[in-house]
Amino acid sequence: MIRLNVFIQVSESNRAVVLEAAKELVASSLKDKGCIAYDVFESATRNDVLMICETWQDAESLSAHEKAEHFVTLVPKIQGLASMKLEKFDF
């Protein structure tokens, strides 16, 4: 399995748009083959921080997800409005 933690730092002015795009990404990604878990979290202590946590069955499932229309549309939208940092764990 593969676990990705994606940290998103966003300004107050872009937060609502980024959070909406992240929620749309979650809803679509949960339908992808091999997706075990996919969620977005809001920091309880920092209004400028969001995190997407995703778990994938295998590398093939993650690769297919990265080519899906919702991914190639929504991730660049988020990247254009916020900074993102990725942590990847294989287990």
Side-chain angles (χ1 to χ4, degrees), residues 73-88:
T73 301
L74 294 168
V75 171
K77 180 178 182 178
I78 295 169
Q79 289 173 323
L81 298 169
S83 62
M84 298 173 78
K85 179 185 172 209
L86 173 71
E87 294 179 344
K88 182 178 179 182

Side-chain angles (χ1 to χ4, degrees), residues 24-82:
E24 186 178 341
L25 181 62
V26 167
S28 296
S29 299
L30 284 169
K31 300 172 189 170
D32 288 346
K33 183 179 178 188
C35 180
I36 295 169
Y38 210 105
D39 209 339
V40 62
F41 298 95
E42 300 177 63
S43 173
T45 58
R46 292 187 54 191
N47 201 37
D48 64 327
V49 175
L50 306 171
M51 184 172 79
I52 295 175
C53 295
E54 42 188 292
T55 306
W56 294 93
Q57 181 177 329
D58 52 36
E60 293 77 21
S61 299
L62 177 57
S63 180
H65 164 67
E66 292 171 342
K67 295 175 183 131
E69 185 172 341
H70 54 271
F71 184 93
V72 299
T73 301
L74 294 168
V75 171
K77 180 178 182 178
I78 295 169
Q79 289 173 323
L81 298 169

